[in-house]
Amino acid sequence: MLQQQPLTGNGPSNGRGLGLNSHPGIHPLNSVHPSSHHRSDGESGHEGAENGHENRRDIGDILQQIMTITDQSLDEAQAKKHALNCHRMKPALFSVLCEIKEKTGLSMRNAHEEEPQDPQLVRLDNMLLAEGVAGPEKGGGAAAAVSAATSSGGMSPDSSLEHSDYKSKLSQIRNIYHTEMEKYEQACSEFTTHVMNLLREQSRTRPVSPREIERMVAIIHRKFSSIQTQLKQSTCEAVMILRSRFLDARRKRRNFSKQATEVLNEYFYSHLSNPYPSEEAKEELAKQCSITVSQVCNWFGNKRIRYKKNIGKFQEEANIYAMKTAIGATQNEDSTHTPNSTGSGGYSLSGPDLFLGVPPMNGEQPVYMGAQTNGHWQGQNTPPSATSPGSDHSRDSD
DNA sequence: TAATATGATTACTT
DNA sequence: AAGTAATCATATTA
């Protein structure tokens, strides 16, 4: 029963680190059978001699029986044991053994170590607990850990796929961990009871103090818990790997939906003179685009810088969105205040400044070039005179 | 496949 | 803390 499979490759870390392929070696109990010691006591015709001689032979006999008792089959052993217990020299031997034990017992007394709770193990436990691997089953545990780990960035809804992937992987690890743990615990208790029974049984033929049993049990538990520590360790490793992979995935960029960029661009170009959405506006935009506020921040940061760097390149885009907003504005200029067009709700904060102060050229298209990019917005900036590949003079007729 | 677009990150600045 | 500018790394396009 205790030959349980040593955590084969289905472990969380591809079998790495869990390569304990043998049960904890607790052999002091059953390994002593010097089977080669069979003395040939065949010459029984020699009995008449001194008493001492006979006694020695008796003791040798009984010792022999004790030594070989574990070699016997169960029935045989049972019978032998019975015979042993009924042996007339048994009490004497027993008392001798007691005496010897009394003398040698000292060495055992100081073997009294109280394990001071390995800090490494404590750390492992804490981590497993924090990751939601150990401890009670809770759906939010893993998710909480993840969101804590990724709180800085903010995740797009796209990553919810990876998120659930992460969660399922984590629960997989969790399951493996728990089943393995259970297995070990069961094996441990089974083995412990087995050993205790054995010791109890043996206590009939040799002196076994409760203290001894206790010690043996402690040894067994130590052995098993060292295995469990290994399991914990590799579980932690697996979680770490999973986690780093998840965080890597976070770096993977995915473009926002068409509709989302639409909304963002609409806001941007309709607030070109001051494209700094307030906290509220950011939240509103985030909601509309189903992205996070920090993603909105990123987007505006990127947009501002890139627009400023090369206005010419964005001229067309600006015109398009200016047009859109204009249409939206005229559409509802007399009706309800809902400038929706492409799903863009009205950001009713600070009216859109389409065609800001800049006079719309003297011509046809509403060349949308307001934005005081040349020295306004936040702080000073010295755009290296936007290359303006677009034929239209992107600079205001100053 | 190279070039470009784009979302995220980082180091600073204000 | 919010921005800017530079940069990274991937997505998309030509």
Side-chain angles (χ1 to χ4, degrees):
Chain A
M1 44 76 174
L2 102 105
Q3 290 281 26
Q4 13 90 4
Q5 286 308 86
L7 252 207
T8 41
N10 63 344
S13 62
N14 304 339
R16 194 162 40 118
L18 288 179
L20 22 107
N21 34 13
S22 76
H23 58 79
I26 305 190
H27 27 56
L29 278 170
N30 55 4
S31 59
V32 204
H33 358 130
S35 44
S36 59
H37 277 189
H38 278 277
R39 273 142 105 261
S40 49
D41 298 37
E43 351 140 22
S44 43
H46 208 63
E47 64 214 18
E50 307 105 290
N51 224 340
H53 202 164
E54 191 187 309
N55 281 357
R56 242 214 309 269
R57 244 195 51 201
D58 273 347
I59 288 179
D61 197 28
I62 198 171
L63 265 176
Q64 190 57 47
Q65 287 186 47
I66 290 174
M67 296 303 241
T68 56
I69 199 164
T70 48
D71 280 344
Q72 320 298 323
S73 76
L74 259 177
D75 290 344
E76 219 177 331
Q78 223 45 34
K80 280 264 165 70
K81 259 194 287 186
H82 185 70
L84 203 57
N85 280 328
C86 299
H87 199 285
R88 64 194 169 98
M89 290 305 289
K90 194 244 171 183
L93 179 65
F94 196 89
S95 69
V96 169
L97 285 174
C98 280
E99 213 171 294
I100 294 172
K101 199 178 180 71
E102 192 70 25
K103 283 180 189 156
T104 59
L106 281 174
S107 61
M108 240 180 70
R109 215 135 286 159
N110 54 13
H112 190 287
E113 0 44 296
E114 279 299 316
E115 286 167 88
Q117 266 285 29
D118 185 7
Q120 171 88 14
L121 183 59
V122 173
R123 266 201 7 240
L124 283 177
D125 280 336
N126 286 342
M127 180 182 163
L128 289 174
L129 217 61
E131 294 296 334
V133 174
E137 183 92 39
K138 48 177 176 171
V146 173
S147 62
T150 168
S151 61
S152 65
M155 304 188 311
S156 75
D158 300 317
S159 71
S160 65
L161 255 178
E162 284 141 35
H163 193 281
S164 68
D165 192 42
Y166 176 93
K167 274 210 289 199
S168 76
K169 290 254 172 62
L170 192 71
S171 77
Q172 220 173 305
I173 290 175
R174 192 192 146 88
N175 285 343
I176 291 169
Y177 172 80
H178 279 289
T179 49
E180 292 298 327
M181 216 52 173
E182 219 167 286
K183 224 172 0 179
Y184 284 133
E185 239 135 57
Q186 202 191 330
C188 182
S189 76
E190 263 177 39
F191 191 64
T192 305
T193 48
H194 174 70
V195 167
M196 296 228 308
N197 287 339
L198 215 59
L199 283 174
R200 227 172 277 138
E201 184 67 32
Q202 289 194 1
S203 72
R204 288 166 55 182
T205 47
R206 69 182 184 94
V208 179
S209 68
R211 179 92 186 79
E212 229 175 315
I213 296 179
E214 209 175 286
R215 213 169 84 88
M216 198 55 85
V217 169
I219 289 171
I220 295 169
H221 282 179
R222 239 195 327 269
K223 291 279 183 191
F224 271 92
S225 76
S226 85
I227 297 173
Q228 289 179 335
T229 302
Q230 284 188 55
L231 174 63
K232 283 175 185 174
Q233 210 151 16
S234 36
T235 305
C236 273
E237 252 174 58
V239 171
M240 286 306 210
I241 290 166
L242 177 66
R243 212 162 140 155
S244 74
R245 225 181 296 152
F246 175 78
L247 291 178
D248 275 355
R250 196 176 52 130
R251 262 189 95 87
K252 273 204 172 110
R253 192 174 60 73
R254 237 179 269 181
N255 291 356
F256 296 154
S257 70
K258 208 87 186 285
Q259 188 252 1
T261 41
E262 195 103 327
V263 171
L264 293 166
N265 272 316
E266 260 176 58
Y267 187 97
F268 180 80
Y269 287 111
S270 61
H271 295 73
L272 242 198
S273 64
N274 184 38
Y276 297 90
S278 67
E279 210 49 49
E280 278 177 307
K282 280 180 196 165
E283 273 167 38
E284 177 66 24
L285 286 167
K287 205 184 323 170
Q288 281 178 32
C289 304
S290 15
I291 59 179
T292 66
V293 171
S294 58
Q295 281 177 304
V296 172
C297 291
N298 284 341
W299 192 91
F300 273 89
N302 283 324
K303 190 73 182 181
R304 279 189 300 260
I305 205 79
R306 281 162 187 164
Y307 179 88
K308 196 163 77 177
K309 258 185 169 169
N310 192 350
I311 301 169
K313 202 169 70 183
F314 289 90
Q315 207 70 75
E316 205 180 332
E317 193 178 68
N319 288 340
I320 291 168
Y321 282 100
M323 208 88 92
K324 269 187 184 168
T325 334
I327 290 168
T330 50
Q331 260 181 358
N332 68 329
E333 79 188 352
D334 56 352
S335 59
T336 50
H337 196 290
T338 3
N340 67 332
S341 52
T342 330
S344 69
Y347 353 81
S348 43
L349 333 98
S350 77
D353 58 61
L354 50 150
F355 302 162
L356 38 141
V358 185
M361 312 305 287
N362 52 342
E364 30 279 17
Q365 327 131 267
V367 173
Y368 193 75
M369 37 79 59
Q372 32 273 77
T373 48
N374 49 354
H376 292 86
W377 284 1
Q378 213 90 164
Q380 92 304 355
N381 65 326
T382 341
S385 67
T387 47
S388 65
S391 51
D392 26 48
H393 35 43
S394 60
R395 192 96 325 155
D396 193 351
S397 52
D398 209 34

